[in-house]
Structure formats: C-alpha cells, structure tokens
Amino acid sequence: MRGEQGRAMADRLGPDSEEIDDTLPHSARIWNYWLGGKDHYDIDRQVGDEIARSNPGIVTTARAQRAFLCRAVRHLAGDVGIRQFLDVGTGLPTVDNTHEVAQRVAPEARIVYVDHDPLVLTHARALLTSTPEGVTHYIDADLREPDAILSGAAATLDFERPVALILLGVAAHITDESAYEVVARLLDALPSGSHLVFSDSAEVVNPEAVRAMVREWNRTSDNPRVNRSRDQIRRFFDGLDILEPGLVSVTRWRPEALPFGEPDEVDNVGGVARKP
C-alpha cells in the first residue's frame, strides 16, 4: 500500500508526473527516509530499516553528511565568495539543499543540480526553486558522463569563474578505477579558484558494519556501490590544495560548536579543496 507521505508527494507533483512504482525500493527514497524527508514509501522504509540493522550508524552518518554539505557550502559562499555550484548526484530534495544554503548567503548564487534518475529530477523541478536574483537548474545526466554534465552546466554556469563541484556519496556508485578519471575530467574543466566538496563512505569506526551495509544495499538496490579506504578517497583530491582540517570524518569538518570537545567520528570521510 502506498504510504501517506508517498501520496502527498504524488499530489504535489500532479497528474503529469512520471508514474512511480511504490512496490520496489529506490535508493534515493531510502536516503531521503534516513534524512528525515517525506518522499518515500513503505517499501523504502522497510529496506532502509533492514540496511540500518546491518549498520546501525547509517542514519547518523546520512545526517552528518548533509550537515557537512551545509557547512561547506556556507563557507564557500560566505568566506570564499563562490557564486556557482555544480551538485552532482543530488538525490531527492529534503531540507537545506545546496541552493537554499548558498542563496541564504548570496541570493545571486547559481546552482546546477545533476542526477540521472527521472524520479529525482521530477521532484527537483517541482520542489526546488531559486531566489529571483539567482538561478537553479537541473540536468539529466550520469556521473559517468562528465562531458554531458559539463555541456549542460555551461548553459547556466560561467566556467571562466570559480565553481564549487559537489560530490557527496556519489562516486561510490562508480565501482571501478574509472571514478578517478571521471572526477578529474570534471575538475579539469573548472578554472583556478574552483573547489571540490567531496565525501563518501569509509570503514573508519565500524568496518564490519559498513561492509555489511554495502552488501545489503547492493542486494536490495538498483544502484550498486563500493567502499573505499581513506587513502583511496584522498586520491580524488590529487593536485588540489585541501583546506583545513583536511580529509576527516564529516562530523569533524569545521563543526560549528564544540561544547564537549570533538564530535564523534562516523563512517564517512570528506573534505574541501581548492584548485590552484
């Protein structure tokens, strides 16, 4: 049976939206469930709970990654002065999406979202709107197609000016070594002063649980993923100047308040780096 939240989602999208199969789990909807969003069905919650039983820390990790995104975008828009953001593998809208965070600081900011999932793009077009001063645009493309991403983004972003490239939890879905070539191709097209915001799952705190989670994810999802070590993730930053505090658990990337010392680590590492 379709859940109440799913019905509300379909009502918002209207009769012209793509038909949604609520009998099969969907990776973007599962992630949305973990983030506390509303756009998921009973099957997504069931599978999300199964994965969480394999790795009880996954919900905390998912929300920590979203908080890292907010802090990184706020820093780049506010302290660095970046006004263009290319968010690849955006997933379903929840709260504090990239354009909302950036445009609170700089209403004129321009954001391009990229995803290859028609469901995600349908939701994005329906639910994500820009400030009058800025621009929010959406591209239907796969991370494995960097040239298509760059070509589509060029209609909105000026590649003569710095761009923040955001890749959160998406490179893990390219399960072989070509992931490094894809990210390098995207960065090569960006000018000096651009930044990479990157994070992905890593076996930091509870390796066995993370391995079990990935096995369960790959068993139930149509979008397989792979774990990479901290050193393997560091390779995505080759040739870039990594900002302090470096490549760390996403909870420890410039946390906003430390009343009780360093926050606990999670099995997700990330960093922000500048292209020289």
Side-chain angles (χ1 to χ4, degrees), residues 39-51:
D39 296 333
H40 43 74
Y41 295 99
D42 290 341
I43 187 63
D44 305 305
R45 294 189 287 276
Q46 291 168 15
V47 172
D49 289 341
E50 289 175 14
I51 294 172

Side-chain angles (χ1 to χ4, degrees), residues 21-248:
D21 187 347
D22 60 13
T23 66
L24 296 174
H26 191 284
S27 58
R29 296 198 307 254
I30 294 168
W31 199 261
N32 179 269
Y33 170 50
W34 288 335
L35 287 176
K38 297 180 179 179
D39 296 333
H40 43 74
Y41 295 99
D42 290 341
I43 187 63
D44 305 305
R45 294 189 287 276
Q46 291 168 15
V47 172
D49 289 341
E50 289 175 14
I51 294 172
R53 281 191 286 273
S54 299
N55 179 13
I58 186 58
V59 175
T60 298
T61 297
R63 296 179 182 184
Q65 182 179 269
R66 176 51 63 108
F68 164 66
L69 168 70
C70 294
R71 296 194 303 274
V73 170
R74 214 161 29 236
H75 168 70
L76 293 176
D79 299 334
V80 180
I82 298 291
R83 294 294 179 266
Q84 304 187 108
F85 297 82
L86 179 57
D87 187 342
V88 182
T90 180
L92 284 164
T94 53
V95 296
D96 282 337
N97 301 288
T98 297
H99 76 287
E100 293 170 323
V101 178
Q103 290 179 346
R104 281 189 207 119
V105 177
E108 72 276 20
R110 306 171 75 83
I111 294 87
V112 173
Y113 289 109
V114 182
D115 210 293
H116 73 287
D117 188 324
L119 175 67
V120 171
L121 292 165
T122 298
H123 282 68
R125 293 188 178 105
L127 303 176
L128 300 181
T129 57
S130 174
T131 59
E133 304 93 329
V135 175
T136 302
H137 187 57
Y138 319 94
I139 297 174
D140 181 0
D142 192 300
L143 177 59
R144 298 170 183 82
E145 305 165 337
D147 290 336
I149 291 172
L150 294 168
S151 175
T156 301
L157 306 180
D158 178 2
F159 287 152
E160 299 291 318
R161 299 171 53 229
V163 175
L165 172 64
I166 300 172
L167 298 167
L168 299 189
V170 64
H173 292 293
I174 302 181
T175 58
D176 59 21
E177 291 289 292
S178 67
Y180 298 105
E181 299 170 12
V182 167
V183 174
R185 173 69 187 97
L186 292 171
L187 288 168
D188 285 347
L190 306 183
S192 174
S194 294
H195 286 68
L196 173 65
V197 180
F198 187 101
S199 79
D200 232 326
S201 297
E203 299 170 5
V204 175
V205 180
N206 194 337
E208 283 302 322
V210 176
R211 292 182 200 122
M213 177 203 72
V214 170
R215 287 194 297 269
E216 185 67 18
W217 181 284
N218 291 344
R219 185 184 70 80
T220 58
S221 171
D222 60 353
N223 195 11
R225 60 182 297 119
V226 66
N227 282 337
R228 291 188 171 95
S229 68
R230 190 188 296 262
D231 287 342
Q232 288 173 320
I233 291 174
R234 192 180 302 276
R235 284 180 55 193
F236 288 105
F237 294 90
D238 283 355
L240 305 178
D241 298 327
I242 301 183
L243 278 57
E244 292 294 334
L247 183 63
V248 295

